[in-house]
């Protein structure tokens, strides 16, 4: 899977939320910037070329929908991040979050329970 840009990722989250949408509906969900309709349309078409989005045509109008689920994208993203930043070590990744106080001991116990139940 080709990596999405930050703006593509933002639009992808909108499409996951809406499940299917016309460009004007996506545009209405973007709150941080004042993007032009044509810009959003171009970004979505680029995402379609990358294989993340497809469309259904209604005359000259297109309704877009995700073809890559959030779960599949998350897994790919996490695998890439773990490889790049933590030398492919999930232990290092969890340790990082523990040291940064982004995860509590109680949450770590919950994770251990999940791991133990899988065995």
């Amino acid at each position: 899977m080709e990596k999405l840009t930050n703006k593509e990722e933002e639009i992808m989250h909108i499409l996951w939320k809406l499940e299917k949408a016309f460009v004007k509906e996506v545009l209405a969900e973007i709150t941080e910037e004042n993007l032009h309709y044509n810009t959003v349309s171009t970004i979505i078409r680029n995402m379609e070329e990358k294989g993340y989005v497809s469309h259904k045509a209604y005359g000259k109008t297109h309704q877009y929908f995700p073809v890559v689920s959030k779960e599949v994208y998350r897994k790919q993203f996490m695998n890439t991040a773990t490889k790049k930043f933590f030398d492919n070590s999930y232990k290092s990744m969890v340790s990082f979050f523990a040291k940064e106080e982004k995860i509590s001991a109680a949450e770590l116990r919950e994770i251990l329970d999940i791991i133990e139940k899988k065995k």
Side-chain angles (χ1 to χ4, degrees):
M1 253 190 280
E2 190 175 341
K3 183 164 177 8
L4 294 176
T5 66
N6 290 341
K7 189 53 64 184
E8 288 171 339
E9 199 170 273
E10 179 184 351
I11 290 171
M12 196 70 203
H13 280 279
I14 292 168
L15 288 172
W16 283 323
K17 176 183 160 190
L18 299 177
E19 297 180 4
K20 56 185 176 182
F22 296 99
V23 173
K24 65 180 178 180
E25 294 169 322
V26 172
L27 192 56
E29 292 285 323
I30 299 174
T31 56
E32 294 178 19
E33 297 178 38
N34 200 6
L35 293 177
H36 191 272
Y37 179 96
N38 290 341
T39 302
V40 174
S41 179
T42 299
I43 292 169
I44 292 174
R45 284 195 312 272
N46 289 340
M47 292 166 60
E48 190 169 21
E49 287 177 19
K50 290 180 179 182
Y52 286 91
V53 173
S54 190
H55 73 272
K56 183 173 181 179
Y58 295 94
K60 292 182 180 182
T61 305
H62 293 88
Q63 186 177 45
Y64 295 94
F65 55 91
V67 293
V68 173
S69 72
K70 192 174 190 177
E71 292 74 27
V72 168
Y73 185 75
R74 181 185 313 151
K75 185 176 182 179
Q76 177 67 31
F77 176 82
M78 290 307 298
N79 287 340
T80 301
T82 302
K83 201 176 286 182
K84 276 184 176 178
F85 300 108
F86 301 103
D87 297 323
N88 215 23
S89 168
Y90 289 93
K91 177 184 169 190
S92 294
M93 182 178 68
V94 172
S95 296
F96 168 81
F97 290 116
K99 288 174 189 170
E100 292 291 314
E101 298 180 11
K102 303 289 184 192
I103 190 168
S104 69
E107 290 169 322
L108 284 171
R109 281 190 216 68
E110 287 178 38
I111 292 169
L112 285 172
D113 285 344
I114 293 167
I115 292 169
E116 289 297 323
K117 287 178 184 173
K118 283 189 129 183
K119 289 183 178 181

